[in-house]
Amino acid sequence: MPKVTIYSIAEDLGIHASTVSRAFSRPELVRSDVRARVLETAEHLGFQPSRTAQRLATGNTGAIGLLVPDITNPFFPPMIRALQAAAGDSTVILVDAEGRSTDEPALIARLRAQVDGILLASPLASDEALRAALGATPAVVLNREVDGLPSVSCDTTGALQQAAEHIYALGHRRIALLTGTVGSWAAGQRRAAIRSWAEVTDVELTELGPFDASYRGGREAALEVLKTDATAAFAFDDLTACGVIAGLSEAGCHVPEQRSVVGCDDVLLARVLTPTLSTVSTPDDQLAEEAIAALRAAIDGDTPRSTLLDGVFTPRRSTGIAPGPGLCATRISEPL
């Protein structure tokens, strides 16, 4: 069977091939009745327009960019997979800043010529640097708020306060808050959530840090926790929490018998760790769908509204009943 082309459709309808082409690439230039005849004939003949030709005609690339600050952080792979699924037939071009916030503007500038829009996942660069790097390129920010740009974020406030109530119900009254990287939007949100809860309860809150949001940062945080009387600790994220548990264990301090630990993000490590980690999860699939929809709206020239989703607290085995007097006396003075 001969291949169906715009020329064969044009011949069949008795019109110019250029009219057929415009019916697909520039429909606003073709009379509605003519376009309807073209589409009907194309469907009947099984014609599929060339996506490459369409993109050349419209100036669109059919691709979106995705910037992540550190691909080695286990928080990002599930998000990337969800975004790719939500993007459908759009190509997702991923760039990794490798933990260097100063590299983010240059990476964004490099992406601009290759994509129709850019998703910025938890970027670390300043608002000013991000806006300057983007220029007029449509963009949506994930898990952070940047003035002048639409965002899709997860509000962990309610879930973290549920975690705090869970800790309180287990008898913990001395709590350590292990703060994350300086300047991190998420760190500020999580710190504010625990602070506001502590202000209306009879707990003693000790803030420690900031610590690097990493396994090593968590091990360093464990040293500081053991210098306090805190029986429970909130880590900035799950990777940090895993480091805390490892550091406590190496010091002979058992979780949750002597210390309880809560993380945030619910990465795979949280579910395979021993003990499994009590943590707060982000609805990755919903976040991805909202982010892709917002970016497509921005590409089409609309101004999408920012969206705030709710986190969910999941208690697991890293939190237990507060230890009695004398059971939380483990101390260390040497680095792990």
Side-chain angles (χ1 to χ4, degrees), residues 146-206:
V146 173
D147 288 342
L149 295 177
S151 65
V152 180
S153 304
C154 180
D155 182 3
T156 58
T157 300
L160 281 171
Q161 293 181 348
Q162 287 177 19
E165 290 293 342
H166 165 73
I167 287 292
Y168 189 90
L170 291 171
H172 296 274
R173 297 296 182 270
R174 298 184 303 278
I175 297 171
L177 173 59
L178 312 179
T179 58
T181 308
V182 174
S184 164
W185 180 84
Q189 295 295 306
R190 296 171 188 184
R191 182 172 59 248
I194 298 301
R195 278 180 179 173
S196 62
W197 171 81
E199 287 173 356
V200 295
T201 56
D202 59 337
V203 300
E204 177 185 331
L205 181 66
T206 301

Side-chain angles (χ1 to χ4, degrees), residues 54-141:
Q54 285 182 297
R55 289 168 183 169
L56 286 172
T58 62
N60 292 335
T61 67
I64 58 176
L66 171 59
L67 172 76
V68 298
D70 184 2
I71 193 64
T72 65
N73 187 319
F75 171 73
F76 291 106
M79 176 191 290
I80 293 168
R81 174 174 286 185
L83 287 168
Q84 185 166 285
D89 59 358
S90 295
T91 301
V92 178
I93 300 177
L94 172 68
V95 291
D96 173 24
E98 300 181 9
R100 296 188 290 268
S101 61
T102 53
D103 288 356
E104 290 181 350
L107 291 170
I108 292 169
R110 193 181 308 165
L111 267 177
R112 286 172 53 185
Q114 306 175 57
V115 299
D116 300 324
I118 300 177
L119 296 170
L120 306 175
S122 307
L124 300 175
S126 68
D127 289 9
E128 295 77 10
L130 292 172
R131 287 195 298 267
L134 285 166
T137 303
V140 174
V141 185

Side-chain angles (χ1 to χ4, degrees), residues 167 172 174 176 222-233 244-245 248 252-262 275 317-323 327-332:
I167 287 292
H172 296 274
R174 298 184 303 278
L223 289 168
E224 301 305 315
V225 171
L226 290 169
K227 295 175 184 177
T228 74
D229 293 324
T231 61
V244 171
I245 292 174
L248 294 176
C253 180
H254 301 291
V255 176
E257 293 81 5
Q258 292 173 276
R259 299 289 200 291
S260 287
V261 178
V262 177
R317 298 178 65 87
S318 69
T319 49
I321 296 173
L327 293 181
C328 192
T330 304
R331 294 286 190 275
I332 56 175

